[in-house]
Amino acid sequence: MNARQGFVGQSVERREDARFLTGQGQYTDDITLPGQTYAAFLRSPHAHARIKSLDTTAAAKAPGVVGIFTGEHFKAVGGLPCGWLINSLDGTPMKEPKHPVLADGKVRYVGDRVAMVVAETVEQARAAASLIDVDYEVLSPVVDTARAFGAGSAVHDEAPDNQCYHWGIGDKAGVDAAFAQAAHVTTLKFRNNRLIPNAIEPRAANASYSAHDDSYTLYVANQNPHVERLLMCAFVLGIPEHKMRVVAPDVGGGFGSKIYLYGEETAMVWASKQLKRPIKWAAERSESFLSDAHGRDHVSTAELALDKDGHFLALRANTTANMGAYLSTFASCIPTILHATLLAGQYKTPKIWCEVKAVFTNTAPVDAYRGAGRPEATYLLERIVETAATEMGIDPAEIRRRNFITQFPYATPVGLTYDVGDYNATLTRGIELADVAGFAARKAASAAKGLKRGIGYACYIEACGIAPSSVAGALGARAGLFEAGEVRVHPTGKVTVYTGSHSHGQGHETTFAQVVADKLGIPMEDIDIQHGDTGKVLFGMGTYGSRSIAVGGTAIVKALDKIIAKGRKIAAHLMEAADTDVIFEGGQFKVAGTDKSVPFASVSLTAYVPHNFPHDKLEPGLNENAFYDPSNFTYPAGTYICEVEVDPATGHTRVDRFTACDDFGNVINPMIVEGQVHGGLAQGIGQALLEHGVYDEASGQLLTGSYMDYAMPRADDVPSFVVDSSHGTPCTHNPLGVKGCGEAGAIGSPPAVINAICNALGVKDVPMPATPFTVWQAARQAA
């Protein structure tokens, strides 16, 4: 494509796919270093137990064993940190028990790390790990979220009642008063089911130590290498940060589970110095099920107060959120800052009160999973809104229109300020694309076959571009949430961009190059995007919360602005004009009102030949960097409409039609955006119908520890989606006008699916996941 045609807004094919499709990608497990050794982890078979003794004698004598490490080796180092402080309603800080690198005297969930064996081969390491003799005193586990508080068995001594914090936001007195005056109150109790991330590439790491300069290098499947380095160095191992290089090469998906600092890579980095040899580990899928941070797992009660005409007066929500056995990196903020602050949704509800009780259990730690708090908030809100509409006999689209926010900016009762949106437009477009007018005929056709057809709506909003630091800091964040970018223009006019945002499926190498090409008026082939290496990239907070283009992309744009500003001064000298008269467009520096122009490549070459420009006023070179800290979140929003066909005799539910109409602001690459939405929809439908992480309440064993028991969505579980993002309202506070798109599909789809099933059966609620047995039970009760 000619650069002058413009790249932003075009469906440019992903540049990175060529290497992935031809097997040329380089993932962490592909990297083998000289003198490579391999690690295996002995994991707890018990959910809750004291370690009475641990004997490594036989394992140490096994063939190929290089070293064995236990919790004793890590007593002097820090625990894995949590990056967000939440204070309870009474002002006390959350309970924050130490999260040890390897278990220290006690194991707290099945899969907890007990010991690490390092050997010459992975097979030898695994064989030796099986020879470690551990004597456990088995204790009663705490598993169920709803019954964890005051369960009688404490996961941690620091939290005898298993409560991590008891937090709230909003106007409790105002909500109580509104409920007292309400003409109608709708109440709904439900569980947001636990999910287990399943990125196509399991977690992996390869750690090495160099005695030459007392430095470390860690290759790791991670979404934010700078944060990984910061947490490991500053809070756990005490390594000087400049002595640690973290590289996240090609990463096969993350969905949040690869944001966090885990004990495996931390133990390997520390042990690499002890052994003076590199150590590699790649999780088996069964390990991933047990030890990766899980998602969701909320038990909630929602109440909506309305006047006689269906106008919302107040919302009250009470949630118990499962933290698992330990606080993971961002766990504490998921059911609070990223959940409760979104409970206004798209509606002008005057009063909101949300109370959250976080509890420890003997299960894997729970943290952000695609959407991170926003799916839970949207599910709560859109289920209660649809239920209220049914109870009051109001069309579900109409009740939403009566309550939509229509004037912006809008300050919600739960702390956020929406800058822009047009919720009526996305709802109208969604109804049109979904052919809601033809639903009655399709319902009749289904009934003729003995099937029940239902339609469900969900109007979601999310806060993306996780920032600004000032707001996040006031809410408990222990780090800034800015992003950094560097643009290095070479003498020939070719460009290398270094970004702190990490790509693990999002397509940054394409979309970021589109932005740069558009801004500089040069071909995309002249641009290289680098990310994922703390040894190359200035700094970065990583990729999560749909922040890459809104925050990382803006940092790049600000660096480009500096490049152009300096280029104008060099071009002014070359054209003997005042720099204030020089404009830049289409890859050319021009003197306004004349035919004088200089191409970008000529200016870049001049920048490296100082005697050709006034170097007493300008430094040589053309290299700029920028940090960007947003002034507000971005707020993608949209309407999702789902149609299902249910067989009441078997409970089988088929998603027949699904329409997603999203407002993502300006769209850089429509094809990539559509792909992101498709992936999110598949995951959301998976949560609604199939996926559920289940622990045995008596033993604490994970019952869904493989694909035999944990059902993932397949191609025949989803329809051909109708996706539209043409009704965007550009974000007002970043120069690209973008909002973020990576999580929307997973946020809006679960309530749309469950609303459709409830509509089909004529019932108030069907729990997630709506498996055939669950739906069959609901159908029988309805009949």
Side-chain angles (χ1 to χ4, degrees):
M1 182 185 293
N2 188 308
R4 294 183 183 179
Q5 291 179 313
F7 289 95
V8 169
Q10 303 297 317
S11 292
V12 178
E13 291 186 2
R14 286 170 34 121
R15 304 197 303 172
E16 47 270 75
D17 284 350
R19 71 173 186 273
F20 295 144
L21 294 173
T22 57
Q24 302 303 306
Q26 186 179 55
Y27 299 88
T28 298
D29 198 31
D30 294 328
I31 297 168
T32 300
L33 303 173
Q36 187 72 69
T37 64
Y38 298 84
F41 289 88
L42 177 68
R43 298 185 183 276
S44 171
H46 303 292
H48 197 193
R50 290 190 180 89
I51 299 174
K52 297 173 66 177
S53 65
L54 194 158
D55 187 353
T56 62
T57 305
K61 295 177 181 177
V65 171
V66 177
I68 300 177
F69 303 88
T70 68
E72 288 293 319
H73 293 92
F74 293 92
K75 279 185 175 293
V77 306
L80 305 179
C82 179
W84 209 293
L85 174 65
I86 298 297
N87 290 316
S88 290
L89 287 168
D90 62 5
T92 59
M94 66 188 186
K95 301 294 193 305
E96 203 168 354
K98 184 178 180 180
H99 187 176
V101 175
L102 297 177
D104 183 12
K106 198 176 185 183
V107 291
R108 292 182 170 86
Y109 65 99
V110 174
D112 206 352
R113 299 171 296 274
V114 175
M116 179 177 72
V117 177
V118 182
E120 298 291 349
T121 70
V122 65
E123 293 80 11
Q124 290 173 332
R126 291 171 182 167
S130 69
L131 298 176
I132 297 176
D133 184 21
V134 186
D135 184 11
Y136 294 101
E137 177 191 347
V138 179
L139 306 172
S140 298
V142 178
V143 172
D144 186 69
T145 305
R147 294 198 289 267
F149 177 69
S153 178
V155 179
H156 297 279
D157 294 340
E158 297 91 331
D161 58 2
N162 293 320
Q163 182 172 287
C164 177
Y165 57 76
H166 183 190
W167 177 91
I169 190 172
D171 180 357
K172 186 176 188 301
V175 166
D176 291 344
F179 269 83
Q181 301 298 319
H184 181 86
V185 173
T186 294
T187 302
L188 199 58
K189 298 181 179 181
F190 54 88
R191 179 186 296 268
N192 204 292
N193 42 319
R194 178 182 282 243
L195 302 179
I196 303 176
N198 275 278
I200 195 168
E201 177 206 22
R203 287 192 295 122
N206 196 339
S208 65
Y209 171 75
S210 171
H212 168 70
D213 58 358
D214 191 30
S215 68
Y216 302 80
T217 299
L218 173 65
Y219 295 92
V220 62
N222 185 267
Q223 297 176 220
N224 45 357
H226 281 92
V227 175
E228 172 100 354
R229 181 181 70 172
L230 173 63
L231 296 177
M232 188 185 295
C233 291
F235 296 97
V236 187
L237 299 182
I239 297 171
E241 203 172 353
H242 68 289
K243 291 292 186 180
M244 177 82 163
R245 178 189 177 202
V246 176
V247 182
D250 288 328
V251 174
F255 309 119
S257 67
K258 292 174 183 171
I259 295 173
Y260 322 117
L261 177 65
Y262 286 95
E264 286 87 354
E265 62 258 30
T266 307
M268 292 162 61
V269 167
W270 187 87
S272 68
K273 182 174 182 177
Q274 315 308 310
L275 301 178
K276 303 296 191 294
R277 292 181 64 182
I279 306 169
K280 180 159 75 168
W281 166 78
E284 294 184 298
R285 185 60 67 178
S286 58
E287 278 187 289
S288 296
F289 271 96
L290 291 172
S291 64
D292 288 6
H294 293 180
R296 314 290 193 255
D297 205 346
H298 287 191
V299 176
S300 299
T301 299
E303 300 170 276
L304 183 64
L306 306 94
D307 69 13
K308 62 182 179 60
D309 297 316
H311 296 111
F312 303 163
L313 302 177
L315 175 71
R316 182 191 288 137
N318 282 277
T319 289
T320 301
N322 196 337
M323 297 288 98
Y326 301 101
L327 286 177
S328 180
T329 307
F330 291 117
S332 56
C333 75
I334 305 306
T336 52
I337 309 307
L338 297 182
H339 167 74
T341 58
L342 271 299
L343 287 177
Q346 299 184 10
Y347 312 113
K348 51 190 177 187
T349 310
K351 302 291 182 181
I352 298 175
W353 171 251
C354 179
E355 212 164 300
V356 178
K357 186 178 290 184
V359 294
F360 293 111
T361 63
N362 294 114
T363 64
V366 179
D367 209 316
Y369 175 69
R370 196 171 191 169
R374 283 76 54 85
E376 297 93 316
T378 298
Y379 189 79
L380 183 154
L381 186 58
E382 290 305 294
R383 285 289 295 116
I384 195 88
V385 167
E386 194 99 347
T387 304
T390 301
E391 290 179 351
M392 296 187 73
I394 303 173
D395 179 82
E398 174 58 27
I399 200 171
R400 289 174 167 88
R401 290 195 198 276
R402 291 181 191 180
N403 291 280
F404 274 157
I405 299 161
T406 56
Q407 294 184 333
F408 297 89
Y410 177 82
T412 75
V414 279
L416 299 181
T417 298
Y418 304 161
D419 62 324
V420 69
D422 189 345
Y423 310 140
N424 270 302
T426 50
L427 177 57
T428 299
R429 180 64 170 158
I431 289 172
E432 175 190 339
L433 292 174
D435 185 26
V436 173
F439 171 72
R442 295 190 293 273
K443 184 178 179 70
S446 295
K449 298 183 292 182
L451 304 176
K452 293 183 177 294
R453 180 176 288 266
I455 189 168
Y457 293 76
C459 294
Y460 77 91
I461 193 168
E462 54 170 330
C464 292
I466 300 301
S469 296
S470 58
V471 175
L475 295 172
R478 288 166 164 164
L481 293 173
F482 51 84
E483 197 49 83
E486 179 183 358
V487 177
R488 189 176 300 173
V489 182
H490 303 288
T492 55
K494 313 302 182 185
V495 175
T496 302
V497 176
Y498 299 89
T499 174
S501 298
H502 185 273
S503 181
H504 40 277
Q506 292 85 353
H508 292 175
E509 293 173 40
T510 302
T511 52
F512 284 3
Q514 286 180 256
V515 170
V516 176
D518 221 54
K519 189 81 171 176
L520 295 182
I522 62 176
M524 284 181 63
E525 293 74 22
D526 290 355
I527 302 161
D528 184 35
I529 307 295
Q530 294 284 322
H531 61 89
D533 187 344
T534 64
K536 295 180 180 179
V537 178
L538 182 66
F539 199 79
M541 297 307 295
T543 294
Y544 43 84
S546 302
R547 71 193 302 269
S548 292
I549 193 65
V551 188
T554 299
I556 292 170
V557 167
K558 288 188 171 295
L560 289 168
D561 288 340
K562 293 180 182 180
I563 292 288
I564 293 169
K566 184 174 181 179
R568 286 173 61 233
K569 294 179 180 179
I570 297 173
H573 175 75
L574 293 176
M575 294 185 289
E576 299 180 334
D579 60 275
T580 54
D581 292 333
V582 176
I583 59 174
F584 181 69
E585 58 184 20
Q588 300 280 326
F589 291 94
K590 303 175 182 178
V591 179
T594 74
D595 59 357
K596 290 184 177 181
S597 66
V598 179
F600 179 76
S602 295
V603 169
S604 65
L605 180 60
T606 303
Y608 290 90
V609 186
H611 59 269
N612 284 344
F613 70 92
H615 56 277
D616 57 325
K617 297 180 181 178
L618 292 174
E619 294 179 352
L622 201 53
N623 181 27
E624 299 287 351
N625 62 63
F627 284 78
Y628 175 63
D629 194 348
S631 59
N632 195 359
F633 296 95
T634 64
Y635 298 100
T639 292
Y640 287 1
I641 302 175
C642 174
E643 273 189 44
V644 299
E645 203 173 50
V646 178
D647 185 343
T650 65
H652 178 260
T653 299
R654 182 174 68 90
V655 180
D656 183 51
R657 301 162 70 94
F658 201 106
T659 301
C661 188
D662 299 288
D663 175 359
F664 294 137
N666 292 335
V667 172
I668 305 299
N669 187 312
M671 178 188 69
I672 288 178
V673 166
E674 185 171 346
Q676 287 284 313
V677 174
H678 279 210
L681 293 176
Q683 284 183 278
I685 292 171
Q687 175 175 11
L689 298 180
L690 301 163
E691 300 183 46
H692 194 189
V694 180
Y695 285 89
D696 179 77
E697 288 194 35
S699 66
Q701 294 292 327
L702 180 64
L703 301 179
T704 53
S706 76
Y707 292 137
M708 293 293 290
D709 305 294
Y710 188 87
M712 298 280 284
R714 298 174 299 185
D716 59 354
D717 291 313
V718 298
S720 179
F721 301 120
V722 176
V723 175
D724 180 80
S725 57
S726 64
H727 284 61
T729 55
C731 176
T732 61
H733 54 80
N734 68 59
L736 293 169
V738 294
K739 295 185 178 181
C741 68
E743 297 163 297
I747 292 170
S749 52
V753 173
I754 298 300
N755 284 340
I757 296 173
C758 291
N759 177 255
L761 299 179
V763 298
K764 184 172 182 177
D765 189 36
V766 175
M768 290 195 296
T771 62
F773 180 64
T774 299
V775 174
W776 177 79
Q777 286 182 307
R780 284 178 60 85
Q781 291 169 2

